[in-house]
Amino acid sequence: MDTRRNMLKKKRRVVIKIGSSSLQHTETGDMDYIRLEVLVRELCNLKNQGKDVVLVSSGAIAQGKKAVHLTPEQLQEHPIAVKQACAAVGQGKLMMIYEKLFNEYGQLTAQVLLTKESVTNAKCRKNAKQTFDELFKMQVVPIVNENDAISVDELSYGNFGDNDTLAAYVSRLVDADLLILMSDIDGLYTDDPRKNPNARFIHTVGKIGRSLENMAKGASSDCGTGGMATKIKAAKIATAAGADMIIANGDNIYSINDVMNGKKVGTLFLSEQHQKEMSEEVAPERAEFR
Ligand code: GLU
């Protein structure tokens, strides 16, 4: 058994990010209730093992668009404002489903909507952190999304841009020891596997060097707003803050359980702390392509 994978079993505080594309049927854009149900069951199971769990979920804009039967013309007129309004509609719908499903397993949830200011401004960060701390004490599962209704580029505090980055900041904020990004791809490849049949899968990443960042620019992912480059950016934030990070395929929600059981699924990015601990065993430069 790979020791680096085995140590994932001991993680105490886990942030799991799921993208819009993993929550809906591709053909219709409607919610995939089976996948949502499995996701919630997996998370409740982690709670039952005594772990703290945070879910970072996208899907507000996508569900809002469906609900208001948005026309392309409406979107063309005021693209940002319409998206904000759709997020306000969709976020409520999303939470309603999550609350219902978590409730079936006797689990309480809380909605936490963040802006970039929540993590960059020291006062807001302190306030946000104390909310998370109390929620953990109350055994509640925080469900986080960006506060899209007020968080746009035009406003002075800016936005995260995508939920991969948001999830990495949340990991740092709550001192998580593991971040799992459920993506639309199995993990990191040396090139885009949909275009290059010789692309190799990367199981473990040590130090995130320039070569890896350049490679990620080529190996794009279609999901949500975050391609592979945003996942590398997220990995840099999370691993520097002391969390290991995994990219796994959201098509198979059961891979959360596999990851937590130390199975070799997805790409594992070692936290800076673990890179140091492992450096005697595997030099970081060599660990980059394994
Ligand atoms: N916050 C957006 C939503 O919930 C999604 C952003 C993203 O997927 O990166 O719809």
Side-chain angles (χ1 to χ4, degrees):
M1 172 68 83
D2 185 336
T3 45
R4 288 165 301 201
R5 293 292 177 149
N6 214 18
M7 70 195 178
L8 299 184
K9 290 181 186 169
K10 299 202 185 88
K11 298 296 181 187
R12 305 294 313 155
R13 185 165 286 175
V14 190
V15 175
I16 290 134
K17 180 257 165 177
I18 188 111
S20 315
S21 64
S22 303
L23 297 176
Q24 64 196 37
H25 293 283
T26 330
E27 309 76 32
T28 61
D30 282 318
M31 280 190 194
D32 186 334
Y33 291 128
I34 294 187
R35 229 184 258 185
L36 274 160
E37 218 272 332
V38 176
L39 171 70
V40 170
R41 208 165 54 208
E42 292 272 317
L43 301 190
C44 289
N45 210 40
L46 292 180
K47 282 292 297 166
N48 284 356
Q49 291 166 44
K51 298 180 195 298
D52 291 330
V53 172
V54 178
L55 173 63
V56 176
S57 177
S58 306
I61 298 174
Q63 287 316 310
K65 276 183 186 170
K66 279 294 290 187
V68 300
H69 308 290
L70 189 72
T71 61
E73 295 75 44
Q74 283 172 300
L75 194 60
Q76 230 168 14
E77 250 172 69
H78 300 288
I80 294 177
V82 169
K83 274 190 197 165
Q84 284 177 266
C86 287
V89 173
Q91 182 63 28
K93 286 178 73 69
L94 204 58
M95 278 311 291
M96 198 173 72
I97 300 288
Y98 277 129
E99 271 178 24
K100 181 181 181 300
L101 293 174
F102 274 99
N103 189 37
E104 281 177 19
Y105 296 95
Q107 186 62 59
L108 266 181
T109 56
Q111 171 182 264
V112 183
L113 298 180
L114 298 174
T115 61
K116 197 161 190 188
E117 197 188 26
S118 328
V119 293
T120 51
N121 173 301
K123 195 172 165 206
C124 294
R125 192 168 57 230
K126 187 169 163 272
N127 292 340
K129 189 171 170 42
Q130 73 189 21
T131 302
F132 278 105
D133 287 345
E134 289 309 313
L135 289 172
F136 292 134
K137 281 188 214 154
M138 293 170 185
Q139 297 302 321
V140 172
V141 174
I143 301 181
V144 181
N145 197 356
E146 182 157 13
N147 194 345
D148 294 307
I150 60 162
S151 199
V152 293
D153 280 328
E154 281 78 3
L155 302 180
S156 57
Y157 36 74
N159 66 353
F160 292 102
D162 62 85
N163 276 7
D164 294 328
T165 313
L166 168 65
Y169 279 117
V170 169
S171 299
R172 189 169 77 178
L173 185 72
V174 303
D175 295 318
D177 47 11
L178 180 63
L179 166 63
I180 304 178
L181 299 182
M182 299 303 279
S183 175
D184 63 348
I185 194 160
D186 295 339
L188 187 61
Y189 286 85
T190 51
D191 198 358
D192 191 335
R194 289 168 280 211
K195 293 182 190 144
N196 179 358
N198 296 322
R200 279 184 301 122
F201 190 74
I202 302 172
H203 291 284
T204 313
V205 177
K207 193 173 169 11
I208 300 169
R210 182 81 50 84
S211 55
L212 192 89
E213 287 184 76
N214 289 340
M215 208 170 64
K217 282 182 198 147
S220 66
S221 143
D222 291 336
C223 73
T225 47
M228 209 33 96
T230 71
K231 289 176 177 56
I232 301 294
K233 184 178 160 205
K236 283 175 107 176
I237 298 166
T239 58
D244 288 329
M245 191 187 101
I246 292 269
I247 300 174
N249 200 328
D251 279 352
N252 178 14
I253 300 288
Y254 292 105
S255 55
I256 296 174
N257 192 44
D258 291 340
V259 165
M260 299 309 295
N261 280 319
K263 288 196 189 148
K264 210 171 175 179
V265 291
T267 300
L268 166 64
F269 293 76
L270 296 171
S271 70
E272 286 185 7
Q273 183 57 32
H274 281 144
Q275 287 171 38
K276 279 184 210 137
E277 284 165 19
M278 297 279 169
S279 62
E280 271 146 49
E281 202 192 322
V282 185
E285 315 79 65
R286 286 183 49 220
E288 199 172 289
F289 300 101
R290 298 204 124 222

